[in-house]
Amino acid sequence: MASYQANDEAIVEAADIIAATLRRYPSLLPVVEAACTAVAAILKNPKLGDDIAIALISTCNPTLIPIGECIAKIAAEIQVLNGEHERDRAN
C-alpha cells in the first residue's frame, strides 16, 4: 500500500511541477503536449521510443538532445518493465 501512496505523491508532484512551469512559460505547452504524445506512443509500442529518441538526438539541436535522451530512458524503462532486455533493443 505504501508504494501506491508514494507513486500517487510522485504523480501529484510531477503534475504540480509541470503546471507551475507552464504557468511561468506558456510557450512550452506545445513541447509538453508533444512529449506526452511521445510517451503515450511509447506505452503502446516501446520500440518506437528508440526511433523518437534517435530522431531527436540526431538533430544535434541542444534543446532537443536532452528531450531525446529522456525519451530514450522512458522507452528503456518501459521495455524493461515489459520483460525485454537491453540486447533485444534496437541500437
Side-chain angles (χ1 to χ4, degrees):
M1 215 38 139
S3 78
Y4 287 121
Q5 183 177 0
N7 287 341
D8 291 346
E9 290 171 2
I11 291 168
V12 169
E13 181 180 358
D16 288 344
I17 291 168
I18 292 168
T21 301
L22 288 175
R23 279 193 296 276
R24 187 166 179 191
Y25 304 104
S27 63
L28 292 178
L29 182 59
V31 175
V32 173
E33 288 174 339
C36 291
T37 300
V39 170
I42 293 166
L43 287 171
K44 290 180 182 178
N45 180 0
K47 292 195 185 288
L48 182 61
D50 294 333
D51 296 335
I52 294 169
I54 290 167
L56 291 171
I57 293 168
S58 67
T59 66
C60 297
N61 181 309
T63 302
L64 297 179
I65 290 171
I67 296 170
E69 291 169 347
C70 290
I71 293 290
K73 289 178 187 177
I74 292 168
E77 288 298 322
I78 292 170
Q79 289 176 19
V80 168
L81 289 172
N82 287 344
E84 298 176 25
H85 301 285
E86 187 68 27
R87 68 177 182 275
D88 298 332
R89 295 182 66 222
N91 290 326

